[in-house]
Amino acid sequence: MQIKVAAAVMLKAVILIGGPQKGTRFRPLSFEVPKPLFPVAGVPMIQHHIEACAQVPGMQEILLIGFYQPDEPLTRFLEAAQQEFNLPVRYLQEFAPLGTGGGLYHFRDQILAGGPEAFFVLNADVCSDFPLNAMLAAHRQQPHPFLLLGTTANRTQSLSYGCIVENPQTHEVLHYVEKPSTFVSDIINCGVYLFSPEALKPLRDVFQRHQQDGQLCLPLGEDSSGLWRGAGTIRLEQDVFSALAGRGQIYVHLNDGIWSQIKSAGSALYASRLYLGQYQLTHPERLAKHTPGGPRIRGNVYIHPTAKVAPTAVLGPNVSIGEGVTVGEGVRLRESIVLHGATLQEHTCVLHSIVGWGSTVGRWARVEGTPNDPNPNDPRAHMDSESLFKDGKLLPAITILGCRVRIPAEVLILNSIVLPHKELSRSFTNQIIL
């Protein structure tokens, strides 16, 4: 009797991390570390992605694609991630910004090396519970080149995202529009995908079409050696999804779990809240517990093991305290992120704010922002990724202290952004402090 042995299944994941010219709404926080390494709920933003990928059976390799220089923080993170997850985690640097699909095509040989059954593609600037195993099960039940993770939004907010019209019986994507001017669908693209190896063929077609268009546009006698950059830029959403919708190649997997974009500092604070809530199920060991003689903990709070927190401090809900932070007596912290090496002196109050690396907030000072949360009465509402300005004025938003800012005692900083290395002498409201 012949016994059939199933071949070992192999998967890969690609995380698109962009580069320094992107994420300008994240300043001044992105001045210090690449945005994908910014701590959200106590760990670098893309560690949440890597943790989810590492839990998928058969995952062999995780590739990061972007155009950041491979500096010391990024190199250290990659080394630590490989050790923690016992998986190869490599960074592939683009020579220029190639769009959401250009890097996939440029590095196609490395993605397909070893013959993966399929590969996940995740945008770095999203917060999600990443239902990758459910997506993989759906793909195996009905294999197609492209599977998109989708969720629902209200009619107004859907205009800010890629909108998907599906066949409700088969979940085929019949129509796709990126940020439409009028309402198309309440199903939006989450920026998390599962692609078959065949998905790279349409990317090749787009590249070749761009190459031909570029050659037609070249003046007589002009050297075409610089053509690659234009031809290599591929936008998954407009160049691929919109073009292929309705052709039986793209399907959507709907998810009702947590999801949010992380475009601005305010959205990072909201994402931190979502992840801290997820820790109840996924990482309860990361959540601080109220202990006799320790600080008072309200709700979900992360405290790095090296932080020093006075027993009379009151923390939470939704607070993340980083490495080497000092929190003095009587401090009140709520809905905030306090980054590496910061000091909050006695009786400070920090609400809806991000305190930058190595910053100091003096005694009895108050640092406060105004949250821009989704409508709690609308279950399909998402975090608005609004501009920092309107009619030339700074919009009320969370307060951000850049790195190594010094706030003196007994002052108020409200709805303001303080750029790095500033030493203030008075209170500020609704200002950018240069």
Side-chain angles (χ1 to χ4, degrees), residues 39-99:
V40 178
V43 302
M45 189 186 299
I46 56 172
Q47 184 166 328
H48 298 285
H49 299 60
I50 294 174
E51 287 176 351
C53 293
Q55 292 172 7
V56 178
M59 184 63 63
Q60 178 171 316
E61 184 177 43
I62 299 172
L63 301 171
L64 277 58
I65 296 179
F67 52 100
Y68 286 100
Q69 290 295 324
D71 57 7
E72 184 180 352
L74 184 56
T75 302
R76 281 202 314 267
F77 172 78
L78 293 174
E79 292 173 350
Q82 288 191 101
Q83 291 183 356
E84 180 173 355
F85 300 105
N86 195 28
L87 268 176
V89 182
R90 295 193 293 130
Y91 176 51
L92 305 177
Q93 185 186 2
E94 298 173 340
F95 56 87
L98 295 177

Side-chain angles (χ1 to χ4, degrees), residues 157-304:
Q157 287 191 318
S158 68
L159 305 181
S160 300
Y161 303 95
C163 291
I164 298 168
V165 178
E166 69 155 353
N167 179 323
Q169 280 74 45
T170 65
H171 303 296
E172 180 190 352
V173 175
L174 303 177
H175 188 53
Y176 183 94
V177 185
E178 186 69 18
K179 297 181 181 177
S181 56
T182 58
F183 177 75
V184 172
S185 169
D186 61 357
I187 301 175
I188 61 172
N189 176 10
C190 291
V192 178
Y193 317 117
L194 180 59
F195 292 173
S196 296
E198 298 78 40
L200 291 171
K201 294 178 182 177
L203 273 67
R204 178 198 61 196
D205 296 340
V206 172
F207 172 77
Q208 291 175 346
R209 186 168 64 250
H210 286 178
Q211 196 172 41
Q212 291 170 356
D213 293 344
Q215 288 171 340
L216 291 173
C217 293
L218 283 175
L220 287 175
E222 183 174 333
D223 180 16
S224 62
S225 60
L227 178 64
W228 169 264
R229 178 168 181 172
T233 302
I234 300 172
R235 303 165 301 173
L236 279 176
E237 301 81 7
Q238 294 94 329
D239 295 332
V240 179
F241 298 159
S242 293
L244 294 182
R247 298 187 182 181
Q249 297 191 59
I250 308 178
Y251 285 71
V252 61
H253 178 82
L254 289 177
N255 180 43
D256 58 0
I258 66 168
W259 183 83
S260 180
Q261 285 188 325
I262 308 178
K263 296 293 188 183
S264 63
S267 55
L269 203 55
Y270 179 65
S272 183
R273 181 196 306 174
L274 294 180
Y275 279 135
L276 287 169
Q278 281 289 108
Y279 285 172
Q280 295 278 2
L281 298 174
T282 60
H283 292 284
E285 74 283 357
R286 289 182 182 169
L287 294 175
K289 304 292 191 298
H290 182 68
T291 57
R296 186 170 180 180
I297 305 298
R298 294 180 175 176
N300 298 322
V301 174
Y302 169 85
I303 303 174
H304 193 276

Side-chain angles (χ1 to χ4, degrees), residues 394 401 407 413 416-420 422 424 426-429 431-434:
L394 182 67
L401 307 185
I407 305 296
I413 307 297
S416 296
I417 297 174
V418 185
L419 294 191
K422 298 299 174 184
L424 306 187
R426 61 181 179 86
S427 298
F428 289 90
T429 301
Q431 292 192 44
I432 293 182
I433 304 163
L434 303 175

Side-chain angles (χ1 to χ4, degrees), residues 86-144:
N86 195 28
L87 268 176
V89 182
R90 295 193 293 130
Y91 176 51
L92 305 177
Q93 185 186 2
E94 298 173 340
F95 56 87
L98 295 177
T100 49
L104 298 176
Y105 182 72
H106 182 60
F107 293 110
R108 60 194 179 279
D109 291 341
Q110 302 207 45
I111 294 172
L112 298 182
E117 171 196 1
F119 58 95
F120 291 96
V121 177
L122 304 89
N123 285 321
D125 61 353
V126 297
C127 156
S128 175
D129 52 357
F130 298 112
L132 304 185
N133 282 312
M135 292 179 69
L136 182 60
H139 168 77
R140 286 174 173 165
Q141 184 176 3
Q142 193 177 35
H144 293 284

